[in-house]
Amino acid sequence: MSFPLPPLPPAVAQARHALLTRLGTSSFTDFREIDFAPHPPHAANPTITTWIRQQHDEPQDFYEPDARADNNWFGGCCAQFLEECLPPVLRWRPATWEIQSGTPATLSRCQQYAHWSSLAQAAMDRPALAPALAPYTVGPPDLLLLRYPHKPPAPVLHAALMTYWKLQGSDVADISPQARALQRERRGRAPHLVLLTGELTPSYLASIALGTGDLDCTYHFALYELQAAVAQSGNSEAEDLIGIMVEGKRLKDISDLPLDLAV
């Protein structure tokens, strides 16, 4: 089964192919057998589990249905994807670029959020103020794209990226406050706020892509393959839902992300 891709810059095309390979496959023949019904929270998608185990040398130790471990693993793969394809895309912008894991310390180094650490500490020291300072105590995004201009030396947060291999019902409640705080409680320009995911269930994707306007966009690591699988499934409701998200520019393939970050 083949999946025609739109023309992509060479660096982006190579990085996308490498990402699919790292995640376990570049053919996605198992997409034809996806069960598009929602899975219970913390349940591993059986198709994803199957093709990852088939591709790994030690399948019994590779994949465990643990949400936090999956997100960390997926986030690392996405970070490597960006490190491979962003330099050629961003080379015309006169700055130094860096991708880092999201930590409170790293976020507080950024110009827009330098005030967060002191306010978060105030919330801890004075519990009576905690409700008013709640936005400053949310966890940082999973990945941070930092831009270091020549002057001043402090980095600018160019993009905040949240990575979720699977989406669960409770994730909307976590993602929305995090994105809203980054958007509203900043000093300076707003960063790109995006979500990267490997979720295969259209209804779960819609709960994030259509259910919150706090994110710029949701990016899927294999949207073109997922669209082809949904079309073959004969599930018209799932196909329509994917179409609404794509046409409304609320859901894009991860290959669109480097070019979107260039502006």
Side-chain angles (χ1 to χ4, degrees):
M1 185 177 182
S2 62
F3 302 98
L5 299 177
L8 300 174
V12 176
Q14 293 172 9
R16 186 183 191 274
H17 178 77
L19 174 65
L20 301 189
T21 301
R22 283 192 294 272
L23 292 175
T25 182
S26 57
S27 62
F28 287 88
T29 55
D30 283 341
F31 267 66
R32 286 177 285 183
E33 302 174 4
I34 289 175
D35 176 10
F36 290 103
H39 298 284
H42 303 294
N45 183 298
T47 303
I48 292 180
T49 306
T50 299
W51 58 250
I52 290 180
R53 285 177 172 167
Q54 288 175 346
Q55 296 292 330
H56 200 266
D57 292 336
E58 298 180 1
Q60 68 276 13
D61 297 326
F62 180 63
Y63 186 85
E64 296 291 339
D66 176 79
R68 179 171 297 181
D70 288 347
N71 290 342
N72 291 339
W73 163 71
F74 180 60
C77 293
C78 292
Q80 192 168 348
F81 165 80
L82 293 172
E83 289 171 351
E84 292 171 355
C85 65
L86 276 180
V89 175
L90 297 176
R91 63 186 177 184
W92 59 273
R93 300 198 64 173
T96 300
W97 299 86
E98 185 179 17
I99 299 171
Q100 289 198 3
S101 298
T103 64
T106 303
L107 186 63
S108 294
R109 286 173 45 217
C110 301
Q111 294 180 30
Q112 306 102 303
Y113 304 100
H115 59 294
W116 273 39
S117 59
S118 58
L119 292 173
Q121 187 63 46
M124 295 178 61
D125 295 340
R126 303 182 63 180
L129 296 178
L133 299 176
Y136 305 104
T137 62
V138 299
D142 301 291
L143 297 174
L144 304 175
L145 176 59
L146 307 180
R147 178 171 58 86
Y148 291 84
H150 297 296
K151 292 182 181 180
V156 174
L157 181 60
H158 185 75
L161 304 99
M162 307 169 197
T163 60
Y164 285 80
W165 176 235
K166 289 177 79 272
L167 292 171
Q168 302 170 16
S170 61
D171 289 333
V172 178
D174 295 333
I175 294 170
S176 293
Q178 187 180 51
R180 196 177 304 119
L182 290 168
Q183 179 71 249
R184 297 179 182 179
E185 309 300 334
R186 70 187 193 279
R187 294 177 180 173
R189 69 172 297 275
H192 293 277
L193 299 174
V194 303
L195 175 76
L196 294 87
T197 185
E199 179 58 57
L200 300 179
T201 307
S203 60
Y204 281 15
L205 287 170
S207 68
I208 296 295
L210 299 180
T212 172
D214 299 309
L215 295 171
D216 294 352
C217 189
T218 299
Y219 294 84
H220 196 279
F221 84 109
L223 178 59
Y224 304 121
E225 290 82 354
L226 179 59
Q227 285 179 292
V230 171
Q232 288 198 1
S233 72
N235 187 331
S236 59
E237 182 178 351
E239 189 172 4
D240 291 343
L241 193 55
I242 291 287
I244 290 172
M245 289 184 282
V246 172
E247 291 297 323
K249 301 188 184 302
R250 301 303 301 155
L251 180 64
K252 297 183 180 182
D253 186 78
I254 197 170
S255 59
D256 292 317
L257 179 58
L259 298 178
D260 289 348
L261 293 180
V263 297

